[in-house]
């Protein structure tokens, strides 16, 4: 998505050689008009794919999933919680995911009533690095007897191998912008 690459270069920044910071428009402050274009692009990328629900991780994936839902005829958006509230004490699916950026491990949880056998579930998130969150979400989908319809990321850090890992597991992966490297404060895309 050329408009996304341009926005990353013009409005984003980098930290070292590993982190792309896009808090000005995607994951701290949201450019709602641009987010709508991201949602539309996910529909273009997954044209012809049946989607019963969209699954993401709180919090940064929620806005992305909601923007995309509009273009998939408004399926429910489900988001995995990183910490179980006191109301979620039984009947949930859980899988671990390590966060590259935060250096933590989260136990992602989804109430079992939101993942039903036979459903086709599209997984969307803001970043794809090593693929940990996507693998965990796919495990949750499969625990519920549902099917992963595809996995989409707004920005992929291609040099961390996440999409290769997911494709090896048989998942379709679509990333709107793939960062090949960060060097001398500049981002290079595929």
């Amino acid at each position: 998505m050329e408009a996304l690459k341009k926005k990353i270069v013009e409005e984003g920044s980098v930290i070292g050689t590993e982190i792309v910071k896009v808090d000005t428009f995607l994951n701290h402050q949201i450019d709602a008009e641009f987010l709508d274009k991201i949602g539309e692009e996910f529909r273009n990328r997954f044209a012809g794919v049946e989607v019963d629900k969209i699954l993401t991780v709180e919090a940064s994936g929620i806005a992305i999933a909601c923007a995309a839902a509009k273009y998939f005829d408004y399926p429910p958006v489900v988001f995995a919680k990183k910490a179980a509230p006191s109301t979620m004490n039984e009947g949930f699916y859980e899988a671990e995911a390590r966060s590259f950026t935060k250096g933590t491990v989260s136990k992602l949880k989804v109430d079992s009533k939101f993942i039903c056998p036979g459903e086709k579930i599209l997984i969307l998130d803001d970043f794809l690095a090593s693929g940990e969150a996507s693998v965990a979400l796919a495990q949750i989908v499969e625990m519920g007897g549902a099917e992963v319809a595809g996995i989409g990321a707004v920005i992929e850090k291609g040099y961390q191998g996440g999409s290769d890992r997911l494709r090896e597991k048989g998942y379709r992966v679509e990333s709107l912008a793939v960062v090949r490297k960060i060097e001398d404060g500049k981002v290079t895309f595929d």
Side-chain angles (χ1 to χ4, degrees), residues 52-120:
D52 297 311
K53 289 183 179 166
I54 298 174
L55 178 63
T56 192
V57 179
E58 69 175 356
S60 58
I62 296 171
I64 294 159
C66 288
K70 170 183 174 181
Y71 294 97
F72 287 90
D73 297 323
Y74 294 103
V77 170
V78 178
F79 58 92
K81 295 180 178 277
K82 293 179 184 174
S86 60
T87 57
M88 187 187 283
N89 51 18
E90 61 182 52
F92 58 87
Y93 302 117
E94 177 181 81
E96 286 189 356
R98 182 181 60 84
S99 169
F100 172 81
T101 308
K102 295 176 185 161
T104 59
V105 175
S106 297
K107 291 186 176 187
L108 305 182
K109 297 170 184 61
V110 175
D111 192 305
S112 59
K113 69 184 173 190
F114 298 126
I115 306 287
C116 302
E119 288 182 324
K120 296 185 180 18

Side-chain angles (χ1 to χ4, degrees), residues 114-162:
F114 298 126
I115 306 287
C116 302
E119 288 182 324
K120 296 185 180 18
I121 300 180
L122 178 63
I123 296 170
L124 296 179
D125 210 353
D126 58 347
F127 278 91
L128 171 59
S130 65
E132 291 280 326
S134 295
V135 167
L137 291 175
Q139 289 171 343
I140 288 170
V141 168
E142 292 163 0
M143 285 176 200
E147 177 185 330
V148 175
I151 298 172
V154 177
I155 301 168
E156 175 186 337
K157 296 177 185 176
Y159 52 87
Q160 290 185 335

Side-chain angles (χ1 to χ4, degrees), residues 166-178:
L166 293 166
R167 287 184 181 102
E168 286 171 8
K169 292 180 176 289
Y171 301 118
R172 176 179 175 184
V173 180
E174 295 286 342
S175 300
L176 305 187
V178 179

